[in-house]
Amino acid sequence: MNSSAEMHRGYENHLPRRVITGRGRSAGLDGVCAAQGSKKVFLVSDRGVETAGIVEQVAAPLRRAGILAGLAAGVPPEPALTDVTALLEQIRQSAADAVIGLGGGSVMDAAKVAALCAGRGGTPSDYVGLGKAGGRGLPTILVPTTAGTGSEATFVAILSDKGAGTKVGVVDPAILADVAVVDPALTDGLPAGVTAAAGMDALVHAIEAFIASVATPLARGLALEAARQIGPALERVCSHPADTRARDAMAVGSHLAGMAFANSSCCAVHALALPLGGRFPIAHGVITGCFAGELMRHNAPACAADFAALSTALGWGTLPPEAFAARLDAVAGAIGLSAALGRVVVPAAAVAPMARDAVLIRRLVDPNPVDVSEADAERIYRAVLTIVP
Ligand SMILES: [Fe+2]
């Protein structure tokens, strides 16, 4: 539907300049830096990654090679513009010529924006919005430690603006990674809840990237291959966390899904997720995972062929829309996401404002294959959430 009819329109695709995948590949970042001519690199990470021993593991060869100019392992979850400003100051003082972001989406997003500012001047807020970069900043090497966000493959960085009480995005192809290093071994020790939420979010990225009206042919191909990797691995990695083959498939699949939605879009699942996640402390992947089934039921009239292709790629057989949606609900239940969401009670009075906010996010609602009205959004929130009077 959206692959052939719009082919004549022409497309642009944006990808990281170099992608390295493989178990243990994050141990050789000194060589990666040398290959791109970086002589003083700044390593950005967070406390969780540091506690897991991964920061030291990655930093040691850089230190031995004499190219580690500085290290900041304090990026908080959901980093604010001010957090990135503080990070930027450290990077400037180190006189680094490249930035490594080692962590989940929060760390990689902070690293992307800090590297942009360090290379081009100014502060993070100067670059909020679409296409404000004006050129590339310092080179970046992005190394995900979770399998889900796909941030190492995208040109979006989401930060919170504490003053305005909202999330803002720096969106520009100039912040794409110079090198993305996808090392599945870094995800081996992830807690079960993180594995499940991030993994299901990656699946939703693949689905939404595939069905979005703006999907490029490249994005649709990437999304289908992401589904092929994730389908057999998601429930397996949740029930058998030590299964390294499943870990490998999730790491590669989530990376492919990231490249897919970077060249397409996320859709209404993400539109409904943002107002909910902004008001209640629920992991992003718990929300997207639990809302996917109901939104795909809503999308069913336009998506029968796409759902058949996706369910086939996922290894679920060729499913009609209702069975596809039911399977998504079943997966969210099987890996504990529905239970996690059910522990959060949402006051009835919050539903209408969330629905209003969700449909205002046009960049996510417009690409959705079926329009989502405010009334639709309210109905879907009520169907999925535990509402109290
Ligand atoms: Fe997501």
Side-chain angles (χ1 to χ4, degrees):
M1 181 187 58
N2 43 24
S3 57
S4 55
E6 298 182 10
M7 193 82 85
H8 65 281
R9 191 160 54 84
Y11 297 94
E12 276 189 39
N13 291 297
H14 300 277
L15 300 164
R17 289 182 163 179
R18 183 182 175 199
V19 174
I20 299 169
T21 70
R23 246 169 209 276
R25 295 301 295 271
S26 64
L29 294 192
D30 50 326
V32 173
C33 293
Q36 60 167 24
S38 303
K39 295 186 173 62
K40 293 183 78 176
V41 295
F42 194 98
L43 178 59
V44 180
S45 192
D46 69 20
R47 295 278 170 245
V49 177
E50 187 177 48
T51 305
I54 294 172
V55 170
E56 190 44 37
Q57 189 183 309
V58 167
L62 301 172
R63 208 177 280 120
R64 276 197 298 275
I67 58 170
L68 186 64
L71 190 164
V75 175
E78 327 260 324
L81 289 165
T82 48
D83 295 318
V84 180
T85 305
L87 175 62
L88 171 63
E89 208 40 58
Q90 290 178 273
I91 294 173
R92 282 190 175 134
Q93 279 171 13
S94 76
D97 62 9
V99 175
I100 298 174
L102 173 70
S106 296
V107 166
M108 291 189 281
D109 285 3
K112 285 181 201 171
V113 177
L116 176 67
C117 298
R120 299 202 54 79
T123 64
S125 50
D126 296 338
Y127 298 101
V128 167
L130 266 173
K132 298 276 178 64
R136 294 179 66 84
L138 293 187
T140 50
I141 299 167
L142 300 181
V143 190
T145 57
T146 63
T149 70
S151 177
E152 77 284 356
T154 75
F155 52 89
V156 178
I158 303 294
L159 301 169
S160 46
D161 182 341
K162 292 224 170 100
T166 142
K167 292 274 174 83
V168 295
V170 173
V171 185
D172 195 303
I175 65 171
L176 268 166
D178 287 75
V179 190
V181 180
V182 181
D183 179 354
L186 300 182
T187 69
D188 285 348
L190 280 180
V194 176
T195 298
M200 185 92 186
D201 190 39
L203 171 55
V204 176
H205 293 161
I207 294 170
E208 294 208 294
F210 190 70
I211 64 173
S213 60
V214 295
T216 69
L218 179 85
R220 282 172 60 88
L222 289 165
L224 274 190
E225 182 55 29
R228 272 185 207 104
Q229 298 284 337
I230 293 168
L234 176 55
E235 287 171 85
R236 175 75 193 170
V237 81
C238 292
S239 60
H240 296 76
D243 183 333
T244 51
R245 288 177 65 123
R247 290 273 181 208
D248 292 358
M250 288 307 301
V252 170
S254 70
H255 176 68
L256 295 175
M259 287 200 284
F261 83 80
N263 293 288
S264 174
S265 182
C266 285
C267 301
V269 176
H270 279 76
L272 267 68
L274 292 181
L276 179 60
R279 285 170 173 81
F280 301 93
I282 315 169
H284 171 75
V286 168
I287 301 175
T288 57
C290 292
F291 276 79
E294 200 56 34
L295 255 311
M296 295 315 135
R297 234 164 248 124
H298 179 78
N299 290 336
C303 292
D306 281 355
F307 291 168
L310 282 164
S311 55
T312 305
L314 284 158
W316 297 349
T318 305
L319 300 178
E322 174 49 40
F324 179 66
R327 181 72 186 245
L328 290 170
D329 288 336
V331 173
I335 64 176
L337 304 183
S338 310
L341 187 68
R343 283 193 285 274
V344 180
V345 290
V346 174
V351 174
M354 289 196 301
R356 197 168 52 236
D357 289 355
V359 299
L360 285 175
I361 311 173
R362 297 317 303 181
R363 72 180 173 86
L364 295 172
V365 177
D366 286 340
N368 201 64
V370 175
D371 188 45
V372 177
S373 68
E374 215 172 305
D376 294 330
E378 258 198 75
R379 174 180 55 74
I380 293 165
Y381 279 128
R382 288 182 194 286
V384 179
L385 293 171
T386 307
I387 312 265
V388 292

